[in-house]
Amino acid sequence: MTDHNDNRVGPGDAVPHILRQWLSPFRFWFTAPSWDHLLVLVMGAILSPGKRTVTACLRITGRAEASNFAVYHQLLNRARWNPRTLASRLLSIVVASLVPDGPIVIGMDDTIERRWGPRIAARGIYRDPVRSSHGHFVKASGLRWLSFMILAPVPWAKCIKALPVLTLLCPSERYDQKKGQKHKLLTDWARQGLLQLCRACRKHFRSARLSLEHLQFHALLTFCSPKRRASRSF
């Protein structure tokens, strides 16, 4: 799909044409209004120093006084688009661009986003890995996210970069109890995310050869399986 009018997003700085080209592989999964708003938020996220909130993105792109500022917030909480489909597409682009011949190495890391408020229902209280030590325990309240990254060598940087392709929210145990649903441990979310990425890799790269990293990937899935986890005591 092509956009005939590049200024439909209203007043403010125009979205650079090169940014539209970079994000064009994801155009198919958005409606025209949502796509225009997404381009503005991505441009603002790139330019914003500090926290990359929707308000900061609008302010730095010259839309601080825009009368339709609410539609940019609604892109994240009301607009209909599938983040898992976009993650699968992003995975295929990263692998095809940086590791087309394999091996595909996936790294995982959990992080705590410190958030408060009555509407942040999935937050919990966790150990702060930064401020805690072996003899000092510090608690942190917020949302726990689990990120999955492709560890790929970047030619122009001459090093291996961790490129995020999927991030999952891991609700707290208290939140799951209030919802009356079974609580998933961090290993459960890790297994679910790895299986999703594995299916995406099989879909886009059916002819990829198995390597040692693929065998380690399979071993990690086996370790995270419910039966295996139940037989081990931590």
Side-chain angles (χ1 to χ4, degrees):
M1 298 182 183
T2 58
D3 295 325
H4 301 286
N5 186 0
D6 289 352
N7 298 317
R8 289 178 297 177
V9 291
D13 299 333
V15 178
H17 181 66
I18 190 173
L19 181 59
R20 293 179 178 272
Q21 288 183 325
W22 286 345
L23 297 179
S24 60
F26 306 97
R27 173 64 182 89
F28 176 79
W29 290 281
F30 292 91
T31 62
S34 295
W35 178 248
D36 290 332
H37 299 146
L38 174 68
L39 291 175
V40 172
L41 293 181
V42 173
M43 179 176 66
I46 296 175
L47 298 175
S48 295
K51 293 184 178 181
R52 295 174 176 86
T53 61
V54 175
T55 303
C57 294
L58 295 179
R59 182 182 299 114
I60 202 167
T61 57
R63 294 172 174 82
E65 303 296 332
S67 59
N68 63 336
F69 69 93
V71 298
Y72 295 94
H73 292 271
Q74 293 170 1
L75 175 65
L76 303 178
N77 59 22
R78 292 188 181 183
R80 299 183 62 181
W81 50 277
N82 193 330
R84 294 182 183 272
T85 302
L86 298 180
S88 177
R89 179 60 175 148
L90 177 60
L91 171 66
S92 65
I93 294 175
V94 171
V95 173
S97 301
L98 298 177
V99 284
D101 300 324
I104 302 174
V105 183
I106 299 176
M108 293 178 293
D109 184 31
D110 68 302
T111 183
I112 299 175
E113 179 188 9
R114 291 168 177 80
R115 297 289 299 274
W116 295 269
R119 295 189 178 184
I120 313 298
R123 68 184 177 93
I125 300 177
Y126 308 98
R127 176 183 180 273
D128 192 326
V130 177
R131 295 182 291 178
S132 297
S133 62
H134 291 289
H136 185 60
F137 183 84
V138 179
K139 298 179 180 179
S141 176
L143 300 173
R144 169 175 276 184
W145 298 88
L146 181 61
S147 297
F148 299 81
M149 299 154 286
I150 299 295
L151 305 181
V154 180
W156 57 87
K158 297 182 179 180
C159 63
I160 296 179
K161 293 288 187 178
L163 306 176
V165 294
L166 176 66
T167 303
L168 300 179
L169 175 63
C170 306
S172 63
E173 184 175 2
R174 180 179 58 181
Y175 173 80
D176 288 332
Q177 290 177 351
K178 290 182 178 179
K179 290 289 186 177
Q181 57 191 18
K182 183 179 178 181
H183 177 64
K184 289 184 180 181
L185 301 176
L186 199 60
T187 51
D188 295 322
W189 289 109
R191 178 176 178 270
Q192 180 176 336
L194 288 174
L195 286 174
Q196 179 180 339
L197 295 179
C198 183
R199 287 193 294 267
C201 289
R202 289 176 180 175
K203 178 180 178 181
H204 297 289
F205 309 100
R206 295 183 182 274
S207 60
R209 295 180 302 172
L210 289 177
S211 62
L212 177 61
E213 281 74 15
H214 290 83
L215 296 178
Q216 293 175 349
F217 178 78
H218 174 73
L220 180 57
L221 290 179
T222 303
F223 177 80
C224 293
S225 64
K227 292 183 179 180
R228 177 73 175 180
R229 195 171 60 253
S231 63
R232 289 180 60 92
S233 58
F234 294 89

